Amino acid sequence: MVRLRPSCLFPFVVGFSIITLLCIYLPNKSIPLNVGNMSAFRTSILVSTRSVQLFQTKKNEEVVIAVVVCKNRTSEALVMIKSAIVFRGSSDLRIVVVAEKNIQQEFDETLRDWKLLTNDSFSYEIHSIIFPKEHYDEWEKLFQPCASERLFLPSVLNHLDSILYVDTDTLFLSNVDDVWKHFSLMNSSQLAAMVPEHEDMNVGWYNRFAKHPYYGKLGLNSGVMLMNLTRMREFDWISQLAPVLEKYRLDLTWGDQDIINVIFHYHPDKVYVYPCRYNYRSDHCMYMSNCKSAEEYGVAVLHGSRSTFRTKKQPAFRALFNAMSQYQLGSDPVKYLLETAASLLNKTTDTNCGRLAPIFTHNMRLMFKTV
């Protein structure tokens, strides 16, 4: 049996006596709280939690996003990468930059800073532009400087199995896994996934103007392209490029995209076509809304083709790009991204695309749980 010495009991007796006296003599009133301060405190906790959850390190399936960058597209590409980091969801994210050597340092420094800022929420690697010696000058200048490098990614990135290739002028507006999941929906023969170039035969480009073969009735847009590099290598993709260039070089208005269309015209079983919401362009809203999947599920990836991010042609597209450009990684995405985007979009409701503002922020609200 354990015995306590009287000296050990003394502090407990004194403490109990003080509490008893306070209960007897203090007025029967609750102590007022500064509700304003508490509200502000709760808000700061929510903001901090939201940012931490968004950028916490997770270990799940890896999503690999690749981009090719040349000349003055560095800033645009970095805004795209920022959007991928914001919308990485529960996936492990790897960013692959294929760029000219003179701009690689800027990518390295910026991405290194962003990794620290977001708790190592992604990894990255940087590679140099490589073209075959045969037709080197033509490949380098086809359509836009180094744009055709994407055609050679199965060789340049021979250590990777699959990638989601995106043009520099794209923005993720939904979980990156929303696009990546389509790899699991492809059959065993399909080696790439893209959206149709148009939804309406009346305004389609390929069906009205193309002088070369193209996929299906409306052709394909390759700005957001899932690429199973392993299957492309097995298909001997690289060896098929030069013959197409040589045969149709005077008719390739859209450069590398046209070459992709020619190849899939002759091999339609090799391509998987997913809905237009995964590569949403001004064509889908500038005259009338013609992308039903975006109307139903919101835009997943926004494509600012025809300079809509950098000019005043489509104010709604420019508004979304500016909102993402201004957003600081690590800050509250609701206050500093979603609310900013909604505010800027609200100023574009006099345009056809601007009137569809909810489809651009729908997945942001779901992602940040504000619905």
Side-chain angles (χ1 to χ4, degrees), residues 53-103:
Q53 288 176 342
L54 184 63
F55 300 114
Q56 64 186 350
T57 301
K58 305 166 185 176
K59 294 296 179 184
N60 294 285
E61 182 179 5
E62 185 177 56
V63 171
V64 184
I65 295 176
V67 63
V68 174
V69 194
C70 279
K71 305 302 179 185
N72 61 345
R73 295 302 183 98
T74 302
S75 298
E76 187 175 68
L78 284 170
V79 175
M80 179 281 294
I81 292 171
K82 185 194 298 183
S83 75
I85 296 170
V86 170
F87 291 104
R88 63 181 284 265
S90 61
S91 302
D92 286 343
L93 178 64
R94 188 194 311 198
I95 301 296
V96 178
V97 178
V98 183
E100 293 175 309
K101 289 185 178 180
N102 63 319
I103 58 176

Side-chain angles (χ1 to χ4, degrees), residues 68-217:
V68 174
V69 194
C70 279
K71 305 302 179 185
N72 61 345
R73 295 302 183 98
T74 302
S75 298
E76 187 175 68
L78 284 170
V79 175
M80 179 281 294
I81 292 171
K82 185 194 298 183
S83 75
I85 296 170
V86 170
F87 291 104
R88 63 181 284 265
S90 61
S91 302
D92 286 343
L93 178 64
R94 188 194 311 198
I95 301 296
V96 178
V97 178
V98 183
E100 293 175 309
K101 289 185 178 180
N102 63 319
I103 58 176
Q104 289 182 7
Q105 183 176 350
E106 182 175 353
F107 277 103
D108 187 39
E109 292 174 352
T110 302
L111 295 180
R112 193 185 312 130
D113 288 344
W114 285 357
K115 279 195 69 174
L116 291 173
L117 198 59
T118 62
N119 193 28
D120 286 337
S121 66
F122 67 97
S123 61
Y124 71 92
E125 54 191 67
I126 300 173
H127 301 269
S128 296
I129 300 287
I130 301 174
F131 287 116
K133 292 182 180 179
E134 184 183 19
H135 306 303
Y136 182 94
D137 291 338
E138 284 185 273
W139 290 126
E140 186 181 34
K141 299 173 183 176
L142 190 64
F143 185 52
Q144 291 182 1
C146 84
S148 64
E149 175 74 1
R150 126 205 22 216
L151 297 173
F152 303 99
L153 292 181
S155 175
V156 175
L157 305 177
N158 58 13
H159 62 298
L160 294 176
D161 173 70
S162 299
I163 61 171
L164 168 54
Y165 166 86
V166 293
D167 285 349
T168 59
D169 56 351
T170 54
L171 285 180
F172 288 91
L173 299 180
S174 181
N175 193 323
V176 296
D177 190 56
D178 193 13
V179 191
W180 190 263
K181 69 183 180 184
H182 285 274
F183 272 124
S184 65
L185 302 178
M186 294 164 63
N187 65 36
S188 59
S189 68
Q190 291 166 335
L191 49 83
M194 285 168 281
V195 304
E197 172 64 23
H198 286 281
E199 301 293 312
D200 186 349
M201 294 285 289
N202 294 320
V203 295
W205 192 91
Y206 282 105
N207 60 298
R208 292 188 298 159
F209 305 115
K211 296 180 180 179
H212 57 76
Y214 55 89
Y215 174 85
K217 295 181 178 180

Side-chain angles (χ1 to χ4, degrees), residues 281-298:
R281 285 154 283 128
S282 58
D283 297 330
H284 294 121
C285 60
M286 62 191 299
Y287 301 118
M288 60 179 291
S289 178
N290 60 23
C291 180
K292 300 302 180 185
S293 61
E295 292 176 12
E296 187 171 358
Y297 301 108

